[in-house]
Amino acid sequence: AQSVSQHNHHVILSEAASLELGCNYSYGGTVNLFWYVQYPGQHLQLLLKYFSGDPLVKGIKGFEAEFIKSKFSFNLRKPSVQWSDTAEYFCAVNRGGRDDKIIFGKGTRLHILP
Amino acid sequence: DAGVIQSPRHEVTEMGQEVTLRCKPISGHNSLFWYRQTMMRGLELLIYFNNNVPIDDSGMPEDRFSAKMPNASFSTLKIQPSEPRDSAVYFCASSLLAGDNEQFFGPGTRLTVL
């Protein structure tokens, strides 16, 4: 079955530290990849997405992610985090084409110390 | 566009009562998803519709849960009878089938069953 694995369940960093959250998926065909963010008490919002083209995707708020097809990975990065980045981050995959269901990972809770 | 609209935003009810959650997807979107989020189980897909037709309801936990989409602009998720373990945040999301299938989430309904 198709699955998405997020390796870190809870990450704690200090402000200005660099961030990398791991994400691997299990589907071997064409995929659309997403990172969603959920700030405390809010709904999920799109951070960035990969559909096609350049595998290095830049999103909002200085986030970026790199699609490495050979590794089935789509890791999220940010060079310098801020306290306002405290949130839960979800990696998600869609098989593309006519399959519109998105499979979400279990999420990574990021806590930034001021 | 107003985005995905959900009502009510908060619902407190007693065990055994019927609960109806409502969702209005983004105009023009033809796929609609119902999710449930809890601390213990994370984000779970309950059911989704394409062009008002239920496609996959395998995530619906029990027969107490039912969902309808009578037209392209409205969907309901009903729990009858409700139980304390149904307490969760219920999110509705919509997307445009074909394309990158990005899902847009509503603000959620926080349900508490006493």
Side-chain angles (χ1 to χ4, degrees), chain A residues 29-108:
Chain A
T30 300
V31 291
N32 299 323
L33 297 160
F34 308 84
W35 276 97
Y36 282 83
V37 60
Q38 186 177 28
Y39 297 103
Q42 296 189 26
H43 60 286
L44 276 75
Q45 305 169 49
L46 185 72
L47 203 54
L48 51 79
K49 62 185 176 184
Y50 171 80
F51 182 45
S52 64
D54 189 343
L56 183 61
V57 180
K58 294 193 183 296
I60 60 172
K61 303 185 180 183
F63 285 90
E64 65 178 31
E66 185 174 11
F67 171 45
I68 303 180
K69 190 174 182 179
S70 61
K71 295 184 178 180
F72 299 91
S73 70
F74 191 55
N75 292 353
L76 181 70
R77 299 193 293 251
K78 185 171 183 177
S80 177
V81 294
Q82 301 173 309
W83 177 79
S84 58
D85 293 325
T86 295
E88 189 161 13
Y89 293 81
F90 293 88
C91 182
V93 62
N94 162 260
R95 291 192 297 179
R98 302 290 292 178
D99 182 356
D100 56 353
K101 187 166 67 173
I102 290 181
I103 307 299
F104 284 86
K106 293 191 179 298
T108 297

Side-chain angles (χ1 to χ4, degrees), chain B residues 1-23:
Chain B
D1 197 317
V4 176
I5 298 172
Q6 291 186 248
S7 65
R9 295 292 305 275
H10 302 271
E11 176 80 29
V12 180
T13 190
E14 292 187 343
M15 183 174 63
Q17 296 298 305
E18 177 180 300
V19 175
T20 299
L21 311 181
R22 297 173 177 80
C23 175

